[in-house]
Amino acid sequence: QKEVEQDPGPLSVPEGAIVSLNCTYSNSAFQYFMWYRQYSRKGPELLMYTYSSGNKEDGRFTAQVDKSSKYISLFIRDSQPSDSATYLCAMSAVGGAQKLVFGQGTRLTINP
Amino acid sequence: DAGVIQSPRHEVTEMGQEVTLRCKPISGHNSLFWYRQTMMRGLELLIYFNNNVPIDDSGMPEDRFSAKMPNASFSTLKIQPSEPRDSAVYFCASSSRSGSPNEQFFGPGTRLTVL
């Protein structure tokens, strides 16, 4: 079983929809949670970062962490075609904060 | 800033050949990471360096893989001999603060095909 599970999709939604992306994990030592966005044939880029549990909002993006359920989410409001990309969750533990473990990535398409 | 620079961008080689991938991190960053991305396994950390010193190489798949960082501005990932299952996109990333989960900045990747 992988430490981090993420549905690879693909996920296709109309422009303006609310998108929900999720990951589950098994390692209770994970404390740092990140979402990276990767456009086709590009390297991933950091989108959101949270420490421990709770919510974080940045514009149209909201990241949620539920450590009791070992479940993290990324919500995208008012989705735009430019949001079409692969979204990867990543996490790390306090003792090895730099050692990121990535999910498989969810491929998202926003249709105009 | 030019960002993380990787070369070559594409590499096609035959099984058994030696492959060397190169990376120049962002100036001033003191942590460097090598990742491999495939459809089957996703993005996997192979090895990372802090201040040019290898910290964790537990992700390196086999002895055929080796990585070096001779100075703060250059790193190589070598595969010798290469095999078809090594075909993947290899990313280099750098970050500015060792020991913390600081943002990692990824390069554009090297797409390796081993025939």
Side-chain angles (χ1 to χ4, degrees):
Chain A
Q1 183 186 1
K2 292 182 179 179
E3 277 189 293
V4 180
E5 297 278 0
Q6 182 177 10
D7 186 340
L11 180 63
S12 182
V13 302
E15 182 176 355
I18 296 174
V19 177
S20 173
L21 304 168
N22 312 292
C23 288
T24 59
Y25 63 94
S26 57
N27 188 345
S28 57
F30 287 148
Q31 294 281 353
Y32 303 101
F33 303 93
M34 284 142 269
W35 287 94
Y36 278 78
R37 178 174 61 194
Q38 184 176 22
Y39 290 113
S40 181
R41 297 191 175 266
K42 301 285 187 182
E45 55 181 356
L46 183 66
L47 191 60
M48 299 282 285
Y49 161 63
T50 54
Y51 171 71
S52 194
S53 285
N55 294 359
K56 186 172 184 178
E57 188 173 318
D58 184 1
R60 297 184 294 109
F61 298 88
T62 299
Q64 288 185 351
V65 175
D66 181 350
K67 291 188 66 182
S68 62
S69 301
K70 296 188 177 67
Y71 187 88
I72 70 170
S73 301
L74 177 71
F75 297 95
I76 307 174
R77 292 184 300 279
D78 187 24
S79 56
Q80 304 294 311
S82 58
D83 296 327
S84 298
T86 296
Y87 290 79
L88 302 104
C89 61
M91 44 200 83
S92 64
V94 171
Q98 293 181 286
K99 193 172 178 180
L100 296 183
V101 180
F102 283 82
Q104 190 82 354
T106 300
R107 187 172 178 180
L108 172 67
T109 301
I110 309 297
N111 300 303
Chain B
D1 198 326
V4 175
I5 298 172
Q6 291 187 247
S7 65
R9 294 292 310 276
H10 302 272
E11 177 82 26
V12 180
T13 191
E14 292 190 347
M15 183 173 63
Q17 296 299 305
E18 177 179 299
V19 175
T20 299
L21 311 181
R22 298 172 175 78
C23 175
K24 177 179 170 56
I26 292 172
S27 177
H29 282 190
N30 56 5
S31 296
L32 184 138
F33 307 80
W34 282 102
Y35 289 89
R36 177 173 68 176
Q37 187 174 39
T38 62
M39 289 292 291
M40 290 295 295
R41 301 177 65 90
L43 189 62
E44 303 174 287
L45 177 65
L46 299 177
I47 184 171
Y48 75 95
F49 298 81
N50 283 343
N51 298 312
N52 313 337
V53 177
I55 303 300
D56 190 322
D57 66 354
S58 59
M60 297 284 263
E62 298 171 34
D63 290 346
R64 299 183 297 105
F65 285 70
S66 63
K68 293 182 179 179
M69 191 164 187
N71 58 61
S73 60
F74 183 67
S75 177
T76 59
L77 178 68
K78 187 176 293 186
I79 309 173
Q80 166 64 18
S82 58
E83 297 182 4
R85 59 194 168 121
D86 301 331
S87 297
V89 181
Y90 290 81
F91 288 102
C92 175
S94 69
S95 70
S96 60
R97 190 170 154 199
S98 1
S100 78
N102 264 20
E103 178 176 2
Q104 295 184 17
F105 294 82
F106 284 76
T110 294
R111 186 171 296 270
L112 173 65
T113 302
V114 183
L115 302 174

